[in-house]
Amino acid sequence: MTGVGVCPTRGRLIHVTALLVAASVWVACSSPEQPVVPQKTQTQTPSGSATSGPTVVDNEADWPAGFIPVTYAPGVFNSCGLESISEESVWLLDCSGLVVIVNDGQSSTLELPGAIAASDGILLRQGGAVDAVDILLTADSNDQQGELLTYDVMATEVLRTLAIGSGWPTAGAVIGRRSVVSTLNGRIVEIRGGSASALVEGLDPLIAIAASRDTVWGVSETGTVTVLPEGKAVRLPSNVKPAAALAVGESVWVATTDSGLFRVGRSGARSLHVPGGINTLVRCSDGVWIAQQRLGATFGSRPGLRRLDPSGRILDTIPMPDGPNGLSCFGQSLWIHTERGTLLRRMSG
């Protein structure tokens, strides 16, 4: 579950989610007439010169203990989140469709056939190593159609594409052998066995989705959480602006840009009393991590991270010199991407 970022283009609030599973991860993109094979190139610095490996320009002493700067890419992308696919490899998503891949300290780029808008991160992962990646993409299009493109990580080629119907895809989640995708025109689509079908239509525009074994939560930009399969609607407090969602136990945690964090169950919503707005959240082996641009007056309104236990109790608050805007976990590794372009890694335990 990586971070949430918002595309600067007005008129389309869209999200991208890398759905990482043992066999595949998905990419949703606008439908070209023929699948376009992403081109893998060497990472470029802003001046245009190639880099053959990581460039650590931040002093490790500038960051909290245990947070190691891995690479730095200022101006290379307008960040739309990041997705880790192993303990040593992470994909940084550019809203334009560029992916910066950092693998065991080396970096390269991958051009995807569509524009990325934002990332909700890894909502649920099954099994071990990731063999292929599915990312939700979109591009300017009059028909606002979305597509799911599966990219083979090892073979570096497109495996297949799948149309998901009308509406720009905004987020996705994996449940066992099926996946669910939310759209900007209020649809929740189920992907199973290479086919797509709508579970529900006609909701308010959806910006986030989360799923557990038996339940799907679709979160609208107006603050309504739709619970499937029963179709129950739970309202967040008025004027709350949802940003991301994460399934935790039998409930969903909804992060907001202005009002902290809420736990939503079938009986209603309650605040978890986390001050300030939240960019994104991710579940790791040592708890749930949230990224914030302002930690509150106690911390001089500095940006940073908080770690919570499954009950919502705050375990750690960690101010940082640069605001985190993307989070992702794999195994013991927590990856953080900051506003100014630094990629950090923290090992739990």
Side-chain angles (χ1 to χ4, degrees), residues 106-234:
Q106 302 297 310
S107 57
S108 60
T109 62
L110 178 69
E111 295 180 11
L112 298 173
I116 303 171
S119 174
D120 279 332
I122 305 163
L123 303 180
L124 182 65
R125 186 200 306 277
Q126 304 176 61
V130 174
D131 298 322
V133 177
D134 299 340
I135 306 174
L136 292 171
L137 299 180
T138 187
D140 290 320
S141 172
N142 291 331
D143 58 10
Q144 299 185 10
Q145 297 283 326
E147 197 171 71
L148 210 59
L149 184 150
T150 303
Y151 183 79
D152 190 310
V153 174
M154 301 305 295
T156 64
E157 63 183 11
V158 174
L159 295 178
R160 57 186 174 271
T161 58
L162 175 66
I164 62 172
S166 65
W168 276 313
T170 60
V174 179
I175 325 165
R177 295 184 177 275
R178 66 187 178 108
S179 298
V180 287
V181 174
S182 59
T183 71
L184 197 59
N185 66 346
R187 302 170 69 232
I188 295 179
V189 179
E190 180 184 64
I191 313 296
R192 186 197 294 265
S195 63
S197 59
L199 293 178
V200 64
E201 298 180 307
L203 303 175
D204 289 340
L206 298 168
I207 63 170
I209 196 167
S212 62
R213 180 180 301 176
D214 302 315
T215 309
V216 176
W217 294 271
V219 183
S220 78
E221 62 183 13
T222 59
T224 298
V225 180
T226 301
V227 187
L228 298 180
E230 58 265 48
K232 181 180 178 62
V234 180

Side-chain angles (χ1 to χ4, degrees), residues 17-287:
T17 302
L19 308 179
L20 304 189
V21 296
S24 67
V25 181
W26 292 359
V27 184
C29 57
S30 62
S31 302
E33 292 185 1
Q34 298 293 332
V36 181
V37 177
Q39 299 297 311
K40 192 169 185 179
T41 59
Q42 197 171 22
T43 300
Q44 299 293 314
T45 65
S47 63
S49 60
T51 63
S52 59
T55 304
V56 180
V57 298
D58 290 298
N59 189 325
E60 188 173 325
D62 294 336
W63 298 96
F67 289 79
I68 310 300
V70 175
T71 191
Y72 186 62
V76 171
F77 42 75
N78 176 20
S79 175
C80 281
L82 72 159
E83 305 293 344
S84 52
I85 64 173
S86 75
E87 290 267 14
E88 304 291 339
S89 181
V90 64
W91 288 30
L92 293 95
L93 307 176
D94 182 303
C95 299
S96 68
L98 179 72
V99 178
V100 176
I101 302 171
V102 178
N103 185 30
D104 196 22
Q106 302 297 310
S107 57
S108 60
T109 62
L110 178 69
E111 295 180 11
L112 298 173
I116 303 171
S119 174
D120 279 332
I122 305 163
L123 303 180
L124 182 65
R125 186 200 306 277
Q126 304 176 61
V130 174
D131 298 322
V133 177
D134 299 340
I135 306 174
L136 292 171
L137 299 180
T138 187
D140 290 320
S141 172
N142 291 331
D143 58 10
Q144 299 185 10
Q145 297 283 326
E147 197 171 71
L148 210 59
L149 184 150
T150 303
Y151 183 79
D152 190 310
V153 174
M154 301 305 295
T156 64
E157 63 183 11
V158 174
L159 295 178
R160 57 186 174 271
T161 58
L162 175 66
I164 62 172
S166 65
W168 276 313
T170 60
V174 179
I175 325 165
R177 295 184 177 275
R178 66 187 178 108
S179 298
V180 287
V181 174
S182 59
T183 71
L184 197 59
N185 66 346
R187 302 170 69 232
I188 295 179
V189 179
E190 180 184 64
I191 313 296
R192 186 197 294 265
S195 63
S197 59
L199 293 178
V200 64
E201 298 180 307
L203 303 175
D204 289 340
L206 298 168
I207 63 170
I209 196 167
S212 62
R213 180 180 301 176
D214 302 315
T215 309
V216 176
W217 294 271
V219 183
S220 78
E221 62 183 13
T222 59
T224 298
V225 180
T226 301
V227 187
L228 298 180
E230 58 265 48
K232 181 180 178 62
V234 180
R235 285 287 305 172
L236 293 169
S238 60
N239 301 320
V240 163
K241 298 177 181 178
L246 172 67
V248 180
E250 297 300 315
S251 63
V252 61
W253 289 12
V254 179
T256 71
T257 61
D258 55 355
S259 305
L261 188 63
F262 291 85
R263 183 198 301 275
V264 180
R266 287 173 170 81
S267 60
R270 69 176 183 87
S271 173
L272 290 179
H273 303 292
V274 176
I278 298 170
N279 292 346
T280 188
L281 71 170
V282 63
R283 186 159 192 171
C284 304
S285 60
D286 58 351

